[in-house]
């Protein structure tokens, strides 16, 4: 089983707020408004640009651009959307008008066309490399709510917390996920959407141990197929069912608040004739971090301060940071093809998913 390892640069050891991937690049947004890209193969930097003065809350890689001129998208906490080329130059920019809410997810729609999901709904944009031609704004993705006792409402304003639906094919900046729903069939598989809580105050319930640890699974008719139970609340869900460039895979990944990442076959998860015990839910990566810097190699248990097989020649390690290394500091993750990327307060980690 593969282990998470740090990208071999200190640029992303702190303050990463959003991550996305395609078959070549890892795109990284940070709290200081900077956007960077590295090659997924070896972590070598492609660009790093200051595109905003506000925190980057969502990023997305264009999946259908030419290799000679790759395109990337980013959104910040002020509702600004940016299109950036492979040199790190902003080639187009637009701001959502009115009180549309914070951008938490950007999804590829067609070539140079995207969906931008906010806490009040979602909007489409085409011509994203030139003038950002605006489409219709829909509030359908924001018509849900959730109570503190775990009751899910298919109506906004009814529950204690607002709930927004997000597309699981793209990473999102979410506090917790309280359900998933299969959608219409596109190509080989049905789409997968999730119901996310983006209210930071919900984290208080998670830290107090009173948050829900279950994940209801609904069919496309919004009828309950099953309810999964985990040892910790679900943070984020990702689906690889509709990724481009040969990255399509019938695997669904689930990040828990205790730092564990699980995977399950989507066709089994949506089959009502299979029990929960029949599902092939297994860990996607091992529960440790492999750190590689300069000539040093160390295994550090995420849950504690134990270092094994240390070789600290030409390496200085801050012991306090190791002791504070906590799985609960993860903020999100992304899977694309055979690569996974996890980010949080303690930096950026990658792993191969095929091992």
């Amino acid at each position: 089983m593969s282990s998470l390892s740090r990208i071999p640069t200190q640029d992303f050891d702190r303050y990463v707020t959003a991550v996305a991937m395609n078959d070549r690049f890892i795109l990284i947004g940070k709290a200081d408004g900077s956007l960077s890209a590295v090659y997924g193969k070896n972590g070598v930097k492609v660009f790093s640009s200051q595109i905003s003065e506000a925190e980057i809350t969502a990023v997305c890689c264009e999946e259908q651009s030419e290799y000679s001129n790759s395109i990337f998208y980013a959104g910040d906490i002020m509702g600004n959307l940016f299109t950036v080329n492979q040199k790190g130059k902003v080639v187009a920019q637009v701001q959502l008008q009115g009180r549309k809410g914070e951008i938490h997810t950007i999804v590829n729609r067609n070539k140079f066309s995207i969906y931008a999901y906010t806490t009040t709904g979602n909007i489409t944009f085409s011509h994203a490399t030139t003038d950002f031609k605006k489409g219709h704004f829909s509030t359908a993705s924001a018509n849900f709510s959730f109570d503190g006792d775990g009751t899910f409402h298919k109506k906004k304003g009814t529950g204690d917390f607002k709930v927004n639906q997000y597309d699981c094919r793209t990473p999102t900046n979410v506090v917790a996920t309280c359900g998933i729903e299969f959608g219409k069939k596109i190509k080989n598989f049905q789409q997968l959407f999730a119901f996310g809580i983006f209210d930071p105050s919900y984290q208080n319930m998670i830290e107090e141990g009173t948050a829900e640890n279950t994940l209801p699974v609904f069919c496309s008719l919004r009828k309950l197929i099953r309810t999964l139970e985990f040892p910790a609340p679900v943070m984020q869900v990702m689906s690889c069912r509709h990724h481009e460039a040969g990255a399509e895979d019938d695997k669904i990944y689930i990040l828990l608040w205790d730092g564990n990442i699980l995977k399950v076959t989507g066709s089994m998860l949506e089959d009502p004739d299979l029990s929960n015990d029949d599902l092939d839910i297994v860990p996607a990566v091992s529960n440790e971090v492999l750190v590689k810097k300069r000539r040093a190699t160390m295994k550090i248990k995420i849950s504690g301060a134990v270092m094994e097989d240390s070789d600290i020649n030409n390496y200085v390690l801050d012991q306090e940071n190791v002791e504070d290394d906590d799985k609960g500091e993860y903020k999100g993750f992304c899977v694309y093809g055979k690569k996974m990327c996890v980010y949080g307060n303690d930096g950026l980690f990658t792993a191969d998913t095929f091992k």
Side-chain angles (χ1 to χ4, degrees):
M1 185 183 299
S2 181
S3 297
L4 291 168
S5 59
R6 287 188 185 275
I7 286 182
T9 172
Q10 295 181 347
D11 294 350
F12 312 117
D13 284 355
R14 294 289 187 275
Y15 311 120
V16 175
T17 54
V19 166
M21 303 168 65
N22 63 10
D23 57 318
R24 290 187 68 202
F25 303 100
I26 301 175
L27 187 65
I28 305 115
K30 296 183 70 176
D32 62 1
S34 63
L35 183 72
S36 303
V38 300
Y39 292 111
K41 181 179 180 180
N42 54 18
V44 173
K45 185 184 294 186
V46 180
F47 70 82
S48 183
S49 301
Q50 190 75 36
I51 65 169
S52 174
E53 296 301 319
E55 177 182 324
I56 302 299
T57 54
V59 294
C60 178
C61 301
E62 171 59 56
E63 294 182 354
Q64 299 184 38
S65 61
E66 301 296 330
Y67 272 23
S68 59
N69 186 26
S70 295
I71 293 296
F72 309 95
Y73 307 108
D76 68 16
I77 201 169
M78 302 303 294
N80 295 297
L81 272 172
F82 306 88
T83 301
V84 181
N85 65 17
Q86 194 172 332
K87 300 297 183 182
K89 179 182 178 181
V90 175
V91 297
Q93 179 178 347
V94 68
Q95 185 174 33
L96 302 186
Q97 299 299 313
R99 298 180 179 179
K100 295 295 191 294
E102 176 184 316
I103 300 170
H104 58 71
T105 312
I106 303 173
V107 182
N108 280 278
R109 182 169 175 251
N110 292 305
K111 188 173 183 178
F112 306 141
S113 176
I114 59 173
Y115 293 100
Y117 284 78
T118 76
T119 49
T120 61
N122 64 85
I123 187 171
T124 60
F125 288 97
S126 58
H127 302 85
T129 58
T130 53
D131 57 358
F132 269 113
K133 186 176 180 180
K134 183 173 64 173
H136 174 66
F137 185 86
S138 170
T139 60
S141 62
N143 289 335
F144 313 95
S145 58
F146 192 71
D147 278 330
D149 65 353
T151 302
F152 177 73
H153 300 282
K154 300 172 185 177
K155 185 178 180 181
K156 65 179 180 180
T158 304
D160 301 327
F161 300 94
K162 295 180 181 179
V163 170
N164 295 83
Q165 192 178 59
Y166 66 87
D167 191 332
C168 293
R169 70 184 290 249
T170 300
T172 189
N173 197 338
V174 66
V175 174
T177 297
C178 57
I180 56 176
E181 175 184 82
F182 288 94
K184 65 180 181 180
K185 187 174 183 179
I186 297 179
K187 296 183 180 179
N188 298 319
F189 304 109
Q190 287 183 282
Q191 293 175 291
L192 185 69
F193 298 93
F195 300 101
I197 300 173
F198 295 84
D199 187 344
S201 66
Y202 189 73
Q203 187 170 336
N204 295 332
M205 290 187 59
I206 296 173
E207 293 172 349
E208 292 167 357
T210 57
E212 193 66 26
N213 289 356
T214 59
L215 185 71
V217 181
F218 299 95
C219 70
S220 59
L221 299 177
R222 207 155 284 171
K223 294 182 179 180
L224 184 68
I225 300 174
R226 68 180 77 250
T227 299
L228 302 176
E229 187 168 351
F230 298 104
V234 175
M235 181 183 293
Q236 182 193 337
V237 177
M238 275 212 70
S239 168
C240 297
R241 292 181 136 199
H242 295 97
H243 286 166
E244 301 286 342
E248 179 185 88
D249 188 18
D250 188 21
K251 290 297 180 185
I252 294 166
Y253 291 80
I254 302 168
L255 171 62
L256 304 182
W257 258 90
D258 64 4
N260 285 297
I261 303 173
L262 309 173
K263 63 179 178 181
V264 61
T265 301
S267 56
M268 297 181 71
L269 188 64
E270 67 182 337
D271 188 346
D273 294 328
L274 295 180
S275 69
N276 288 357
D277 292 336
D278 294 327
L279 301 179
D280 61 344
I281 300 177
V282 294
V285 293
S286 65
N287 200 18
E288 62 181 15
V289 172
L290 179 64
V291 180
K292 292 183 178 179
K293 287 187 179 180
R294 303 175 189 169
R295 288 186 290 175
T297 300
M298 305 180 184
K299 285 187 177 179
I300 303 173
K301 297 294 183 182
I302 297 178
S303 58
V306 180
M307 294 194 303
E308 300 174 349
D309 301 325
S310 298
D311 173 13
I312 57 174
N313 185 31
N314 293 329
Y315 187 86
V316 178
L317 185 67
D318 185 344
Q319 296 289 346
E320 291 184 359
N321 287 341
V322 175
E323 292 175 359
D324 290 339
D325 207 347
D326 186 347
K327 292 180 293 183
E329 293 299 311
Y330 287 164
K331 289 188 174 181
F333 79 120
C334 180
V335 182
Y336 196 94
K338 301 184 186 306
K339 202 75 158 180
M340 175 186 296
C341 187
V342 185
Y343 71 96
N345 291 341
D346 200 37
L348 194 65
F349 307 89
T350 62
D352 295 323
T353 60
F354 60 88
K355 294 183 179 180

